[in-house]
Amino acid sequence: KEYGADVFEMQQDGVQKGQRVVIVDDLLATGGSCRAGEELVAKAGAHVVLNAFVIALVGLEGEKQLKAPVYALIEC
């Protein structure tokens, strides 16, 4: 579901405490979905070191919602 309220879940053993994590997604728009992912990783005791996207919609400034650095193959 795009651009609305939703639930994010992660398996409890999806990441280990202290682990470094890269979040990979197809699109960065408002940053809400990726921010939820960052929060889940932090709650598990791991650290997001990079958020990587295929496309970033720069006009929506979603990167401002994220704690970890952002890399996108295409910015438009």
Side-chain angles (χ1 to χ4, degrees):
K1 180 173 168 182
E2 294 288 326
Y3 310 107
D6 219 337
V7 175
F8 265 64
E9 295 179 343
M10 182 175 75
Q11 290 181 321
Q12 286 184 329
D13 62 351
V15 296
Q16 304 289 321
K17 190 174 222 176
Q19 193 171 23
R20 296 165 41 108
V21 176
V22 174
I23 295 177
V24 180
D25 201 354
D26 60 341
L27 178 68
L28 172 60
T30 63
S33 296
C34 192
R35 179 72 183 129
E38 282 186 329
E39 291 172 1
L40 279 174
V41 170
K43 192 173 182 179
H47 308 282
V48 177
V49 296
L50 180 69
N51 294 301
F53 302 91
V54 176
I55 300 171
L57 303 178
V58 294
L60 297 178
E61 299 183 337
E63 69 280 356
K64 291 183 178 179
Q65 300 296 320
L66 305 176
K67 291 184 177 182
V70 171
Y71 173 78
L73 293 172
I74 301 167
E75 294 182 338
C76 54

